[in-house]
Amino acid sequence: MSGNDNHDEQSNNNGVPAPRTDTGEVIGVRKGMFGADNGGDTSGYGGLVRTVNLPGATSRPYGGWFDEVADELEGALEEQDLLPANAIEKTVVDRGELTFHIAREHLVRVAQTLRDDPALRFELCTGVSGVHFLGDKGRELHAVYHLRSITHGRLIRLEVSAPDSDPHIPSLVAVYPTNDWHEREAYDFFGLVFDGHPALTRIMMPDDWQGFPQRKDYPLGGIAVEYKGAQIPAPDQRRSYS
């Protein structure tokens, strides 16, 4: 059974996800097509205004096997004398996907439980994605893990947040060794510091690069780049052809 079998109400007949029925957590307002606010708009979409929102917590029942996974995870944590409410900040079912938002200090134990419990058996983590929400005050940086159970044919996500001022998250390399390079990439581009990683160094940018290019507050231009001694002018200083 797939994660969408009992969630047909969340998509239309064309397979396109249905719009969310609640506003969730509003974290900002975006104006225009691309959010640029330092120049004239030439896209024709300058008048667009929309809220930026994250889906809120979902109430039970979640539907299908989602409840089975949630029940088993909560029961397994209780057996380890860890209150599920302390580890799982909220559970979200959105667009036919199940996501557990985990307190970062309990991430390793939750991941190991999901991997080792026979009724769960999420043996594979296909990577970690970094996300930067400037408007999500106190938890601007998010790390999203995609876990797959080969045994049971299921897919879930874990999401962990940290503030810009303290961007530390425990490494999951000891639980899922394939996360080694994925964590390095998230560190390189978002500045997420994965405590306990065996060699947390940049993977794409030069070792002495300043800043993290995929953060929302990273400048889009005006940075000169050096490649093997050749100097490439910053985008706002390059010659224009017209």
PDB file of all heavy atoms in Angstrom, residues 190-202:
ATOM      1  N   PHE A 190      23.877  25.800   3.469  1.00  0.00           N
ATOM      2  CA  PHE A 190      22.954  26.416   4.425  1.00  0.00           C
ATOM      3  C   PHE A 190      23.602  26.756   5.765  1.00  0.00           C
ATOM      4  O   PHE A 190      22.991  27.444   6.573  1.00  0.00           O
ATOM      5  CB  PHE A 190      21.759  25.486   4.674  1.00  0.00           C
ATOM      6  CG  PHE A 190      20.835  25.366   3.495  1.00  0.00           C
ATOM      7  CD1 PHE A 190      21.014  24.355   2.560  1.00  0.00           C
ATOM      8  CD2 PHE A 190      19.798  26.264   3.303  1.00  0.00           C
ATOM      9  CE1 PHE A 190      20.175  24.237   1.463  1.00  0.00           C
ATOM     10  CE2 PHE A 190      18.953  26.155   2.213  1.00  0.00           C
ATOM     11  CZ  PHE A 190      19.139  25.140   1.285  1.00  0.00           C
ATOM     12  N   GLY A 191      24.796  26.245   6.024  1.00  0.00           N
ATOM     13  CA  GLY A 191      25.440  26.530   7.300  1.00  0.00           C
ATOM     14  C   GLY A 191      24.914  25.712   8.453  1.00  0.00           C
ATOM     15  O   GLY A 191      25.182  26.040   9.617  1.00  0.00           O
ATOM     16  N   LEU A 192      24.165  24.641   8.175  1.00  0.00           N
ATOM     17  CA  LEU A 192      23.732  23.731   9.232  1.00  0.00           C
ATOM     18  C   LEU A 192      24.936  22.956   9.742  1.00  0.00           C
ATOM     19  O   LEU A 192      25.657  22.329   8.961  1.00  0.00           O
ATOM     20  CB  LEU A 192      22.677  22.764   8.698  1.00  0.00           C
ATOM     21  CG  LEU A 192      21.257  23.326   8.552  1.00  0.00           C
ATOM     22  CD1 LEU A 192      20.438  22.454   7.622  1.00  0.00           C
ATOM     23  CD2 LEU A 192      20.584  23.412   9.920  1.00  0.00           C
ATOM     24  N   VAL A 193      25.162  22.989  11.039  1.00  0.00           N
ATOM     25  CA  VAL A 193      26.307  22.306  11.636  1.00  0.00           C
ATOM     26  C   VAL A 193      25.827  20.974  12.213  1.00  0.00           C
ATOM     27  O   VAL A 193      25.043  20.950  13.162  1.00  0.00           O
ATOM     28  CB  VAL A 193      26.956  23.167  12.733  1.00  0.00           C
ATOM     29  CG1 VAL A 193      28.141  22.427  13.351  1.00  0.00           C
ATOM     30  CG2 VAL A 193      27.390  24.511  12.160  1.00  0.00           C
ATOM     31  N   PHE A 194      26.286  19.872  11.628  1.00  0.00           N
ATOM     32  CA  PHE A 194      25.854  18.537  12.047  1.00  0.00           C
ATOM     33  C   PHE A 194      26.856  17.998  13.073  1.00  0.00           C
ATOM     34  O   PHE A 194      27.921  17.483  12.710  1.00  0.00           O
ATOM     35  CB  PHE A 194      25.731  17.620  10.834  1.00  0.00           C
ATOM     36  CG  PHE A 194      24.642  18.044   9.887  1.00  0.00           C
ATOM     37  CD1 PHE A 194      24.905  18.894   8.820  1.00  0.00           C
ATOM     38  CD2 PHE A 194      23.328  17.622  10.075  1.00  0.00           C
ATOM     39  CE1 PHE A 194      23.910  19.303   7.953  1.00  0.00           C
ATOM     40  CE2 PHE A 194      22.320  18.026   9.214  1.00  0.00           C
ATOM     41  CZ  PHE A 194      22.609  18.865   8.150  1.00  0.00           C
ATOM     42  N   ASP A 195      26.508  18.144  14.333  1.00  0.00           N
ATOM     43  CA  ASP A 195      27.405  17.734  15.414  1.00  0.00           C
ATOM     44  C   ASP A 195      27.629  16.228  15.376  1.00  0.00           C
ATOM     45  O   ASP A 195      26.679  15.440  15.315  1.00  0.00           O
ATOM     46  CB  ASP A 195      26.810  18.128  16.762  1.00  0.00           C
ATOM     47  CG  ASP A 195      26.692  19.633  16.932  1.00  0.00           C
ATOM     48  OD1 ASP A 195      27.540  20.350  16.378  1.00  0.00           O
ATOM     49  OD2 ASP A 195      25.749  20.087  17.609  1.00  0.00           O
ATOM     50  N   GLY A 196      28.902  15.823  15.422  1.00  0.00           N
ATOM     51  CA  GLY A 196      29.247  14.413  15.394  1.00  0.00           C
ATOM     52  C   GLY A 196      29.567  13.885  14.011  1.00  0.00           C
ATOM     53  O   GLY A 196      29.919  12.706  13.865  1.00  0.00           O
ATOM     54  N   HIS A 197      29.454  14.740  12.986  1.00  0.00           N
ATOM     55  CA  HIS A 197      29.814  14.298  11.637  1.00  0.00           C
ATOM     56  C   HIS A 197      31.309  13.997  11.586  1.00  0.00           C
ATOM     57  O   HIS A 197      32.119  14.721  12.161  1.00  0.00           O
ATOM     58  CB  HIS A 197      29.451  15.384  10.620  1.00  0.00           C
ATOM     59  CG  HIS A 197      29.594  14.962   9.193  1.00  0.00           C
ATOM     60  ND1 HIS A 197      30.819  14.859   8.562  1.00  0.00           N
ATOM     61  CD2 HIS A 197      28.670  14.584   8.279  1.00  0.00           C
ATOM     62  CE1 HIS A 197      30.629  14.460   7.320  1.00  0.00           C
ATOM     63  NE2 HIS A 197      29.326  14.285   7.118  1.00  0.00           N
ATOM     64  N   PRO A 198      31.718  12.925  10.891  1.00  0.00           N
ATOM     65  CA  PRO A 198      33.134  12.540  10.903  1.00  0.00           C
ATOM     66  C   PRO A 198      34.074  13.512  10.200  1.00  0.00           C
ATOM     67  O   PRO A 198      35.263  13.552  10.521  1.00  0.00           O
ATOM     68  CB  PRO A 198      33.138  11.172  10.193  1.00  0.00           C
ATOM     69  CG  PRO A 198      31.881  11.149   9.394  1.00  0.00           C
ATOM     70  CD  PRO A 198      30.876  11.941  10.181  1.00  0.00           C
ATOM     71  N   ALA A 199      33.589  14.310   9.255  1.00  0.00           N
ATOM     72  CA  ALA A 199      34.475  15.247   8.542  1.00  0.00           C
ATOM     73  C   ALA A 199      33.624  16.333   7.898  1.00  0.00           C
ATOM     74  O   ALA A 199      33.429  16.336   6.676  1.00  0.00           O
ATOM     75  CB  ALA A 199      35.308  14.525   7.496  1.00  0.00           C
ATOM     76  N   LEU A 200      33.109  17.250   8.708  1.00  0.00           N
ATOM     77  CA  LEU A 200      32.190  18.261   8.202  1.00  0.00           C
ATOM     78  C   LEU A 200      32.980  19.385   7.542  1.00  0.00           C
ATOM     79  O   LEU A 200      33.386  20.353   8.187  1.00  0.00           O
ATOM     80  CB  LEU A 200      31.317  18.800   9.335  1.00  0.00           C
ATOM     81  CG  LEU A 200      30.100  19.623   8.895  1.00  0.00           C
ATOM     82  CD1 LEU A 200      29.137  18.784   8.071  1.00  0.00           C
ATOM     83  CD2 LEU A 200      29.383  20.198  10.117  1.00  0.00           C
ATOM     84  N   THR A 201      33.206  19.269   6.245  1.00  0.00           N
ATOM     85  CA  THR A 201      33.903  20.286   5.466  1.00  0.00           C
ATOM     86  C   THR A 201      33.066  20.630   4.243  1.00  0.00           C
ATOM     87  O   THR A 201      32.130  19.907   3.890  1.00  0.00           O
ATOM     88  CB  THR A 201      35.286  19.781   5.005  1.00  0.00           C
ATOM     89  OG1 THR A 201      35.103  18.557   4.257  1.00  0.00           O
ATOM     90  CG2 THR A 201      36.187  19.510   6.192  1.00  0.00           C
ATOM     91  N   ARG A 202      33.405  21.713   3.594  1.00  0.00           N
ATOM     92  CA  ARG A 202      32.681  22.109   2.388  1.00  0.00           C
ATOM     93  C   ARG A 202      32.859  21.046   1.305  1.00  0.00           C
ATOM     94  O   ARG A 202      33.903  20.384   1.229  1.00  0.00           O
ATOM     95  CB  ARG A 202      33.179  23.461   1.888  1.00  0.00           C
ATOM     96  CG  ARG A 202      32.742  24.629   2.788  1.00  0.00           C
ATOM     97  CD  ARG A 202      32.954  25.943   2.063  1.00  0.00           C
ATOM     98  NE  ARG A 202      32.589  27.099   2.866  1.00  0.00           N
ATOM     99  CZ  ARG A 202      31.391  27.655   2.886  1.00  0.00           C
ATOM    100  NH1 ARG A 202      30.411  27.133   2.175  1.00  0.00           N
ATOM    101  NH2 ARG A 202      31.161  28.719   3.631  1.00  0.00           N
TER     102      ARG A 202
END
